[in-house]
């Protein structure tokens, strides 16, 4: 494990290196481009290009920070695994793919990182080999392949413009179909409606993978590209994506309220926060969306790492109804979990508050109708409801059958404490270092509207018992199951795929030789044996039938 520790220190060094260079590039407005042209064909250039500006450098620093913490965490978490070298190799491949995606502004080269993210994610989802993880991996791979198809179609459309660098595409009037294909690819990678069902299913992967891949890097890749192409988000396309993001926030919030799996609750939370960032991006504020993306990546990865310690302490149990009283049994990890949970809720002076409060104030001052206003605040405070439910089940309730095992988690506790320390002051640090340029002036009513909603939804939580809820209301069941998206995208499609593959296996792999040689030959021999036996026994039917066949043959000849 000495090699892994050296890689961890190298990743932490890269975090400081890219972060300091990102600050330098931001202050002096520098952009560094490396370009190597290796092919010209039909007036189109094929080149290998890297773009380093403050946006990509800061994002890379956060990726290396989380990757180093997750690798350090995995030394203890995956210690008993027989294939731990394969696990670390897959994580290194994933970090490399993420680096290629962030640093390359060329769509042809960008698909290397884009495709690598999907393939490595599939390999990590099926890491624990079982039928359930295989179906989850198929679903993840299928929807990511669908996103690759959309991206390839947009790349093909770029042949009309003679270049694939989106630095040059900024000054062009791009075709609407190309933009639709490109943003659909971004929606599939960021798990937006109707491509949302793969993210909860991908929780079959190990918890460090969920922290790195499915909370902070892979799912933010689509949003990162949407931030790069934010100048094309206008008109009907903007209106369409705005409605999709609101719908995804509502679906993820209702699903998280009635979900009992700890990792799936956090996955639904990730989906809702991504929709929240996309909504703010579509409102025209790409800077705030990017800042919330970075802050959310750090405290959400911390949330996953703490939940992994809870699951390992409860011997693999992920149901929150069988957990409880964790604040006494594991006070350090519980403190880290609560800090990340409070940041998710946007409580004042936690890291999530600095970006989330700006977003809420921006939305209040925007010219939107009452329907958007109501659903936006409803979706935001659904976050408060399921976070409060999670807090009550893990730290307040005591089920009486607690089997929490206190192991010596040296590396796991250190990585959680390290991420907790950074996530405490990351929000304020970003808004101090980077000049946001925002200054909102509110009257008394709008300033305290957020607190009014908070107390209203706390009363709403006390009126409903979400733990012992029976799904008698079809509407609640409909929304809590994401409008039956998991059925249509996993159960239905995968079952049909399995049935077809089983049929092809029987017919092609086992069927041709069995049918043509063994079964058919035996049937033919049985028929001939029966025929000749009847001929020997002077059967009238056989003689008469043979005569008819002979006459027919003579007639046609």
């Amino acid at each position: 494990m000495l090699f892994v520790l050296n890689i961890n220190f190298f990743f932490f060094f890269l975090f400081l290196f890219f972060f300091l260079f990102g600050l330098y590039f931001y202050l002096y407005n520098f952009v560094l481009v490396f370009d190597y042209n290796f092919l010209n064909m039909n007036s189109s250039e094929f080149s290998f290009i890297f773009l380093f500006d403050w946006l990509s450098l800061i994002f890379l620093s956060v990726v290396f920070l989380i990757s180093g913490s997750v690798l350090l965490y995995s030394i203890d978490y995956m210690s008993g695994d027989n294939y731990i070298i394969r696990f670390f190799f897959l994580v290194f491949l994933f970090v490399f793919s993420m680096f290629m995606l962030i640093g390359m502004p060329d769509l042809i080269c960008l698909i290397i990182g884009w495709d690598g993210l999907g393939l490595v994610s599939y390999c990590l989802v099926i890491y624990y080999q079982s039928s359930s993880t295989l179906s989850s991996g198929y679903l993840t791979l299928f929807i990511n392949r669908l996103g690759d198809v959309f991206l390839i179609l947009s790349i093909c459309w770029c042949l009309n413009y003679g270049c694939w660098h989106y630095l040059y595409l900024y000054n062009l009037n791009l075709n609407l179909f190309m933009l639709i294909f490109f943003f659909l690819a971004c929606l599939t990678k960021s798990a937006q409606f109707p491509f949302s069902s793969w993210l909860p299913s991908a929780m079959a992967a190990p918890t460090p993978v969920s922290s790195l891949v499915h909370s902070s890097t892979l799912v933010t890749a689509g949003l990162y590209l949407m931030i790069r192409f934010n100048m094309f988000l206008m008109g009907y396309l903007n209106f369409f994506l705005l409605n999709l993001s609101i719908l995804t926030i509502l679906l993820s919030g209702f699903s998280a309220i009635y979900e009992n799996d700890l990792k799936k609750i956090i996955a639904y939370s990730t989906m809702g926060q991504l929709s929240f960032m996309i909504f703010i991006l579509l409102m025209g504020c790409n800077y705030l969306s990017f800042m919330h993306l970075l802050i959310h990546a750090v405290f959400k990865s911390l949330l996953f790492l703490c939940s992994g310690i809870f699951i390992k302490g409860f011997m693999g149990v992920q149901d929150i109804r069988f957990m409880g009283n964790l604040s006494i049994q594991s006070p350090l990890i519980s403190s880290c979990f609560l800090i990340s949970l409070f940041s998710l809720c946007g409580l004042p002076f936690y890291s999530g508050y600095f970006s989330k409060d700006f977003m809420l104030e921006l939305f209040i001052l925007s010219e939107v109708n009452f329907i958007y206003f109501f659903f936006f605040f409803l979706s935001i405070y659904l976050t408060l409801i399921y976070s409060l439910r999670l807090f009550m089940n893990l730290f307040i309730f005591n089920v009486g059958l607690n089997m929490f095992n206190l192991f010596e988690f040296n590396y796991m506790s250190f990585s959680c404490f390290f991420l907790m320390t950074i996530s405490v002051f990351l929000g304020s640090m970003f808004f101090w270092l980077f000049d946001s340029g925002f200054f909102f002036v509110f009257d008394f009513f709008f300033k305290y509207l957020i607190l009014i909603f908070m107390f209203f939804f706390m009363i709403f939580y006390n009126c409903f018992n979400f733990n012992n809820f029976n799904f008698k209301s079809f509407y609640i069941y409909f929304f809590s199951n994401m409008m039956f998206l998991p059925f249509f995208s996993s159960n239905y499609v995968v079952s049909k795929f399995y049935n077809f593959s089983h049929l092809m296996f029987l017919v092609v792999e086992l069927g041709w030789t069995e049918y043509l040689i063994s079964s058919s030959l035996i049937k033919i021999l049985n028929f001939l044996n029966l025929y000749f036996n009847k001929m020997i026994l002077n059967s009238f039917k056989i003689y008469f039938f043979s005569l008819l066949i002979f006459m027919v043959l003579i007639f046609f000849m």
Side-chain angles (χ1 to χ4, degrees):
M1 293 303 162
L2 184 61
F3 174 72
V4 180
L5 286 174
N6 292 332
I7 292 294
N8 288 330
F9 288 123
F10 179 65
F11 277 1
F12 289 137
F13 168 75
L14 288 179
F15 155 65
L16 291 174
F17 177 79
F18 282 115
F19 185 75
L20 293 177
F21 263 88
L23 286 178
Y24 182 77
F25 277 44
Y26 176 78
L27 289 175
Y28 294 98
N29 199 17
F30 282 170
V31 176
L32 192 60
V33 179
F34 297 100
D35 191 358
Y36 173 68
N37 187 10
F38 60 88
L39 180 64
N40 289 326
M41 184 180 69
N42 297 333
S43 73
S44 295
E45 294 183 355
F46 292 83
S47 58
F48 200 77
I49 184 170
F50 279 98
L51 169 69
F52 294 106
D53 58 350
W54 75 272
L55 204 71
S56 59
L57 288 173
I58 295 295
F59 195 21
L60 279 174
S61 69
V62 173
V63 168
F64 281 113
L65 166 68
I66 297 172
S67 303
S69 302
V70 167
L71 285 174
L72 189 64
Y73 178 92
S74 302
I75 294 176
D76 271 345
Y77 191 88
M78 307 293 293
S79 58
D81 191 77
N82 294 327
Y83 305 102
I84 189 171
I85 302 300
R86 180 198 300 172
F87 175 80
F88 285 122
F89 181 71
L90 288 173
V91 173
F92 294 152
L93 277 179
F94 182 83
V95 176
F96 174 74
S97 300
M98 198 68 198
F99 178 80
M100 299 288 281
L101 176 73
I102 296 173
M104 288 188 169
D106 188 274
L107 293 181
I108 288 286
C109 300
L110 180 141
I111 202 170
I112 300 172
W114 183 276
D115 212 6
L117 290 177
L119 291 176
V120 176
S121 175
Y122 168 71
C123 295
L124 289 169
V125 168
I126 64 170
Y127 185 80
Y128 295 135
Q129 298 176 9
S130 64
S131 58
S132 61
T133 56
L134 182 62
S135 61
S136 301
Y138 273 151
L139 176 61
T140 304
L141 185 66
F142 173 72
I143 297 185
N144 279 278
R145 293 291 90 191
L146 192 61
D148 294 342
V149 170
F150 289 138
L151 186 61
I152 290 171
L153 288 173
S154 63
I155 289 173
C156 295
W157 211 283
C158 284
L159 282 168
N160 298 323
Y161 305 112
C163 186
W164 287 274
H165 302 173
Y166 56 69
L167 294 175
Y168 302 141
L169 296 177
Y170 288 162
N171 300 321
L172 302 175
N173 293 323
L174 298 184
N175 189 277
L176 179 62
F177 290 104
M178 178 195 166
L179 293 176
I180 290 174
F181 290 143
F182 181 80
F183 288 121
L184 281 177
C186 295
L187 291 182
T188 56
K189 194 68 78 173
S190 293
Q192 300 300 298
F193 184 86
F195 313 107
S196 306
S197 58
W198 72 267
L199 186 56
S201 300
M203 293 300 107
T207 306
V209 174
S210 302
S211 175
L212 174 65
V213 177
H214 305 120
S215 68
S216 52
T217 50
L218 170 70
V219 292
T220 57
L223 177 60
Y224 172 75
L225 291 182
M226 289 183 73
I227 292 173
R228 287 291 193 185
F229 278 79
N230 67 87
M231 68 287 300
F232 298 110
L233 292 169
M234 58 185 69
Y236 290 107
L237 184 61
N238 193 342
F239 177 72
F240 176 71
L241 295 176
L242 201 69
N243 291 323
L244 284 185
S245 62
I246 280 286
L247 183 59
T248 312
I249 301 175
L250 287 173
L251 291 181
S252 61
F254 279 113
S255 300
I257 287 176
Y258 298 105
E259 182 60 55
N260 294 315
D261 193 317
L262 178 58
K263 289 178 66 175
K264 285 190 177 181
I265 291 174
I266 305 175
Y268 285 126
S269 169
T270 303
M271 191 192 308
Q273 292 299 307
L274 286 169
S275 308
F276 185 54
M277 299 173 210
I278 291 175
F279 187 87
I280 296 300
L281 173 65
L282 296 170
M283 295 289 292
C285 198
N286 54 334
Y287 173 83
L288 271 179
S289 179
F290 182 68
M291 287 294 109
H292 189 62
L293 184 149
L294 300 178
I295 296 167
H296 168 265
V298 175
F299 70 73
K300 186 54 69 67
S301 61
L302 173 62
L303 201 64
F304 265 113
L305 294 184
C306 295
S307 65
I309 294 180
F310 294 156
I311 293 169
K312 196 174 182 67
F314 280 106
M315 307 303 291
V317 175
Q318 298 183 193
D319 198 323
I320 62 175
R321 293 171 295 182
F322 296 99
M323 300 179 182
N325 205 18
L326 283 169
S327 57
I328 297 175
Q329 301 181 81
S330 181
L332 175 63
I333 306 302
S334 299
S335 303
C336 298
F337 187 89
L338 282 176
I339 287 174
S340 57
L341 193 66
F342 291 157
S343 299
L344 174 65
C345 295
L347 263 67
F349 310 115
Y350 289 92
S351 60
Y353 163 77
F354 290 92
S355 57
K356 216 165 188 179
D357 189 64
F358 265 120
M359 291 178 178
L360 290 174
E361 292 176 350
L362 172 70
F363 181 77
I364 290 173
L365 290 178
S366 301
E367 296 181 359
V368 293
N369 57 27
F370 180 75
I371 297 176
Y372 279 104
F373 190 85
F374 173 76
F375 280 112
F376 183 78
F377 271 91
L378 174 63
S379 58
I380 290 301
Y381 287 102
L382 286 174
T383 306
L384 181 66
I385 294 174
Y386 64 73
S387 300
L388 187 59
R389 175 173 175 256
L390 203 58
F391 170 74
M392 299 290 287
N393 278 276
L394 295 183
F395 304 107
I396 303 301
F397 296 156
N398 188 359
V399 295
L401 296 174
N402 288 326
M403 300 289 290
F404 191 80
N405 296 295
L406 293 174
F407 300 105
E408 286 294 330
F409 299 135
N410 296 325
Y411 292 122
M412 296 168 73
S413 301
F414 177 77
S415 59
C416 288
F417 185 76
F418 178 69
L419 275 181
M420 184 266 292
T421 306
I422 291 181
S423 64
V424 164
F425 61 86
L426 187 68
S428 57
M429 183 182 69
F430 273 149
F431 281 88
W432 290 337
L433 293 175
F434 300 100
D435 183 18
S436 62
F438 294 109
F439 183 77
F440 299 133
V441 179
F442 282 95
D443 58 5
F444 180 83
F445 172 74
F446 284 115
K447 196 62 179 175
Y448 289 95
L449 183 65
I450 300 171
L451 295 177
I452 294 171
F453 269 96
M454 185 180 297
F455 287 115
F456 171 74
F457 283 107
M458 288 179 69
I459 295 171
F460 175 75
Y461 173 81
N462 292 325
C463 294
F464 290 90
N465 187 1
F466 294 103
N467 288 330
N468 300 321
F469 180 78
N470 52 353
F471 293 98
K472 291 182 179 179
S473 174
F474 174 77
Y475 300 105
I476 298 295
Y477 183 70
F478 179 70
F479 279 105
S480 62
N481 281 278
M482 299 175 63
M483 296 171 60
F484 305 139
L485 273 181
F487 171 76
F488 289 114
S489 57
S490 62
N491 296 349
Y492 184 77
V493 175
V494 173
S495 64
K496 298 300 179 185
F497 177 76
Y498 279 159
N499 292 336
F500 179 72
S501 62
H502 181 68
L503 177 64
M504 296 301 294
F505 178 72
L506 290 177
V507 172
V508 178
E509 296 289 337
L510 300 178
W512 286 113
T513 56
E514 186 73 22
Y515 180 76
L516 292 179
I517 298 176
S518 303
S519 301
S520 299
L521 186 60
I522 290 172
K523 290 178 181 179
I524 292 171
L525 290 176
N526 286 332
F527 174 76
L528 292 176
N529 185 29
L530 181 64
Y531 183 79
F532 287 118
N533 281 332
K534 289 188 176 181
M535 284 186 68
I536 292 171
L537 294 174
N538 295 324
S539 174
F540 175 77
K541 289 191 297 185
I542 295 297
Y543 288 132
F544 186 73
F545 183 69
S546 301
L547 177 62
L548 288 178
I549 292 177
F550 182 73
M551 292 177 64
V552 169
L553 290 176
I554 291 176
F555 178 76
F556 281 105
M557 289 175 64

